[in-house]
């Protein structure tokens, strides 16, 4: 990974990224509402279940397919990843959180990352195309006007596709020069820290307890990203029935500080 | 396509219970009577019941789909400052359905004295404090108090009951805010609200 790609990976997995992910708990709020998480270790186990049941076999598969499609200039392939991930995500609030974050990511980059040349596609023919752009301040080049990323962002804004977060992230990471496995790790890290942070704000977990769980989850993140980043889109599945039920009950919860 | 960049936005921040919702409830009829199409976003209303009650309170004035809640994941200041994306998304939903919309009032979740509105979210930022939490609030120089376009000191009716000196508040506010205005309101008696509505009109709607 070159420096620019690494910096972009850090930017995209940083909780500072303003795409609203801090408003999503993907069912964690409801688990806590129902007193279903008692210890930090229990929280870690629960999140490992998310990794093995959803983040790996659903999100990472969608992200990998979107990444490959973007590299091949195949916009329809990106749309297919969006459609299938939406179909595999049962709770309406999970779909909504994911769609909003993905759309906001695309909007944000279109607003901020324009004009400058950057390392992104590994295709030399592509790179040659862009030698006219000057400067190297930004990470992603002119997001608003060029390539699959720009077309995908436009389709999303026009409501022609959903813009789910892992799919948008796959396209963006491909543009930034990250390979699919690296992109999957960015997604897994951002998802896991998002879930841990939601639990920390709602429950009573110590900061060291949360960090222990985070580092303890690294092996599971590596395993699922390794296993699913190049999986076929048709192999996508999502299996977290309890989290799905929590996500649905959250819609009518007595207390709601999170959007999902 | 219209979006959050095409509509005036007014942010109301301030500590828990200072009267933000009460102020919004008094401002909406005035803006409505003045002929403006208004939408209301309330951050962190916690329960569906609260959301329904809020919608109900505007039912003779606003269409129900222009009164909405936005959850901020237990981070009220993040929702209005570091990452206003979910509030902006809600404004976009409003303007897509109601392109004629003139102004959106955005009530922050109750927070501390450091909570300020992101200028890309709110064109005009009001910070609402209450006299009942002490007449020394302005001189603590919280960023909310010092940076707001308008400081609103609410619950003036309670001043005698909590030994708060309105003159002290007025002088301290002038000291820490310089030329920027401060308004005094009593939402219970509906007093002082016209000045706040005028300030909004002058600052973001006539422009
Ligand atoms: N006496 C008096 N009570 C007021 C006034 N304004 C609001 N209140 C009361 O103060 C309480 C809190 O008012 P809200 O408008 O809900 O305060 P808020 O700032 O929206 O509160 P949060 O959204 O929870 O942060 C309610 O009981 C109001 O009726 C006022 O001017 N005078
Ligand atoms: Mg309120």
């Amino acid at each position: 990974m070159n420096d620019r790609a690494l910096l972009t990976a850090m930017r995209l997995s940083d909780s500072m990224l303003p795409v609203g992910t801090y408003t999503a708990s993907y069912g964690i709020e409801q688990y806590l509402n129902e007193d279903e998480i008692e210890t930090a270790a229990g929280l870690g186990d629960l999140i490992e279940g998310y990794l093995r049941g959803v983040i790996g076999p659903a999100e990472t598969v969608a992200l990998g397919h979107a990444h490959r499609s973007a590299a091949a200039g195949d916009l329809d392939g990106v749309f297919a990843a969006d459609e299938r991930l939406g179909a595999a995500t049962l709770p309406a609030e999970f779909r909504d959180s994911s769609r909003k974050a993905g759309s906001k990511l695309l909007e944000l980059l279109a607003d901020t990352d324009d004009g400058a040349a950057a390392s992104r596609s590994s295709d030399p023919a592509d790179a040659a195309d862009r030698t006219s752009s000057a400067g190297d301040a930004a990470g992603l080049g002119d997001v608003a006007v060029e390539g699959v990323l720009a077309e995908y962002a436009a389709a999303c804004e026009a409501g022609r596709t959903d813009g789910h977060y892992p799919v948008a992230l796959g396209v963006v990471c491909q543009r930034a020069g990250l390979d699919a496995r690296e992109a999957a790790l960015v997604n897994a890290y951002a998802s896991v820290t998002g879930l841990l942070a939601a639990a920390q704000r709602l429950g009573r977990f110590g900061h060291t307890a949360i960090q222990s769980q985070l580092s303890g989850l690294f092996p599971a993140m590596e395993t699922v990203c390794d296993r699913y980043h190049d999986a076929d889109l048709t192999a996508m599945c999502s299996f977290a029935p309890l989290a799905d039920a929590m996500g649905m009950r959250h819609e009518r919860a007595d207390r709601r500080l999170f959007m999902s | 396509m219209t979006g959050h960049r095409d509509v005036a936005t007014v942010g109301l921040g301030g500590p828990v219970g200072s009267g933000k919702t009460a102020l919004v409830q008094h401002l909406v009829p005035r803006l409505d009577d003045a002929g403006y199409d208004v939408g209301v976003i309330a951050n962190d209303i916690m329960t569906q019941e609260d959301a329904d009650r809020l919608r109900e309170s505007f039912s003779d004035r606003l269409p129900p789909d222009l009164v909405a809640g936005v959850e901020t994941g237990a981070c009220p200041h993040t929702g209005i400052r570091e990452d206003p994306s979910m509030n902006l998304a809600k404004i976009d939903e409003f303007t897509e359905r109601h392109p004629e919309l003139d102004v959106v009032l955005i009530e922050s979740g109750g927070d501390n004295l450091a909570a300020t509105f992101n200028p890309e979210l709110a064109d005009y930022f009001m910070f609402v404090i209450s006299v009942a939490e002490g007449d020394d609030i302005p001189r603590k120089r919280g960023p909310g108090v010092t940076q707001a376009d308008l400081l609103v000191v609410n619950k003036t009716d309670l001043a005698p009951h909590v030994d708060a000196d309105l003159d002290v508040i007025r002088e301290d506010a002038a000291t820490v805010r310089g030329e920027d205005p401060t308004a005094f309101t009593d939402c219970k008696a509906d007093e002082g609200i016209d000045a706040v509505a005028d300030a909004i009109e002058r600052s973001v709607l006539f422009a």
Side-chain angles (χ1 to χ4, degrees):
Chain A
M1 206 188 305
N2 65 36
D3 288 354
R4 184 68 54 79
L6 177 59
L7 287 169
T8 305
M10 291 192 280
R11 178 189 184 195
L12 293 171
S13 52
D14 189 338
S15 62
M16 186 185 186
L17 189 73
V19 297
T21 37
Y22 68 98
T23 67
S25 91
Y26 293 102
I28 295 288
E29 176 167 40
Q30 193 60 16
Y31 274 102
L32 286 160
N33 282 345
E34 300 189 16
D35 295 322
E36 291 285 340
I37 307 173
E38 270 159 19
T39 61
L43 174 65
D45 290 345
L46 179 66
I47 295 179
E48 184 166 343
Y50 275 70
L51 276 165
R52 297 191 190 281
V54 183
I55 298 171
E59 292 184 11
T60 303
V61 174
L63 174 148
H65 186 82
H67 187 284
R68 284 192 299 282
S69 302
D74 172 15
L75 190 60
D76 288 335
V78 180
F79 291 168
D82 243 349
E83 190 176 5
R84 205 168 258 265
L85 184 58
T89 308
L90 298 183
E93 290 185 344
F94 291 12
R95 288 197 301 278
D96 206 35
S97 283
S98 164
R99 230 187 296 123
K100 284 198 170 121
S103 308
K104 282 294 165 191
L105 176 64
L106 297 171
E107 263 177 51
L108 175 77
L109 296 176
D111 279 349
T112 56
D113 284 48
D114 53 0
S119 58
R120 45 220 163 182
S121 165
S122 51
D123 181 348
D126 255 32
D129 267 9
R130 299 197 187 101
T131 45
S132 57
S133 358
D136 62 353
L140 290 157
D142 198 339
V143 169
V145 298
E146 287 177 53
V148 171
L149 179 51
E151 288 169 41
Y152 178 57
C156 197
E157 187 173 351
R160 281 183 281 124
T161 190
D162 279 341
H164 282 292
Y165 193 66
V167 176
L169 198 59
V171 177
V172 168
C173 285
Q174 190 278 326
R175 171 68 165 258
L178 294 159
D179 68 30
R181 210 175 144 281
E182 291 161 347
L185 286 165
V186 168
N187 178 61
Y189 180 84
S191 299
V192 166
T193 50
L195 296 170
L196 285 170
Q200 190 172 27
R201 295 203 293 277
L202 289 171
R204 285 185 50 124
F205 299 104
H207 58 296
T208 60
I210 292 285
Q211 284 295 316
S212 304
Q213 294 308 315
L214 175 58
S215 59
L217 286 164
F218 281 0
M221 289 188 216
E222 291 168 38
T223 305
V224 302
C225 291
D226 204 40
R227 174 159 170 210
Y228 292 108
H229 76 276
D230 56 359
D232 198 87
L233 188 61
T234 56
M236 184 193 293
C237 66
S238 175
F239 188 74
L242 204 51
D244 286 348
M246 291 293 176
M248 293 173 194
R249 287 216 284 279
H250 185 260
E251 292 167 27
R252 279 164 278 102
D254 288 337
R255 182 192 71 179
R256 291 171 47 94
L257 291 173
F258 286 74
M259 207 169 276
S260 62
Chain B
M1 210 172 106
T2 60
H4 59 260
R5 294 186 173 104
D6 308 302
V7 65
T9 48
V10 176
L12 294 96
V16 177
S18 63
K20 298 177 292 299
T21 302
L23 189 58
V24 169
Q25 284 170 332
H26 284 81
L27 285 171
V28 165
R30 283 173 169 78
L31 294 168
D32 185 39
D33 287 342
Y36 298 108
D37 287 317
V38 189
V40 172
I41 294 175
N43 286 187
D44 297 338
I45 43 179
M46 311 280 280
T47 67
Q48 204 50 50
E49 193 190 320
D50 292 348
D52 293 342
R53 201 181 310 133
L54 191 72
R55 214 164 272 131
E56 182 60 30
S57 75
F58 295 116
S59 60
D60 57 337
R61 294 283 186 174
L62 308 182
D65 66 347
L66 280 179
V67 182
V70 165
E71 296 87 354
T72 63
C75 293
H77 48 272
T78 307
I80 60 164
R81 191 177 53 207
E82 293 92 317
D83 182 356
S85 57
M86 294 298 116
N87 276 309
L88 292 170
K90 186 58 78 182
I91 298 169
D92 285 341
E93 272 175 38
F94 279 7
T95 55
E96 260 161 48
R97 277 190 240 124
H98 299 269
E100 74 291 352
L101 198 61
D102 296 303
V103 58
V104 179
L105 305 181
I106 306 156
E107 181 191 338
S108 160
D111 207 331
N112 60 30
L113 298 180
T116 52
F117 267 80
N118 183 320
E120 294 181 42
L121 174 63
D123 301 318
Y124 193 72
F125 162 35
M126 312 194 314
F127 197 73
V128 183
I129 61 174
S130 139
V131 304
E133 276 68 57
D135 58 14
D136 59 343
I137 287 187
R139 62 173 176 273
K140 294 179 185 177
R141 296 176 193 265
V145 169
T146 59
Q147 291 177 24
D149 295 309
L150 178 68
L151 176 67
V152 178
V153 180
N154 186 39
K155 307 196 192 181
T156 51
D157 57 305
L158 295 183
H161 306 289
V162 295
D163 294 334
D165 186 335
L166 292 179
D167 289 331
V168 166
I169 296 180
R170 189 173 289 110
E171 277 159 33
D172 288 348
T175 307
V176 304
R177 289 177 49 75
E179 300 287 289
D180 293 331
T182 299
F184 289 78
T185 56
D186 170 356
C187 286
K188 210 171 160 202
D190 196 33
E191 270 169 28
I193 321 279
D194 285 337
V196 178
D198 285 351
I200 294 175
E201 213 175 351
R202 239 179 303 114
S203 309
V204 294
L205 290 165
F206 283 169

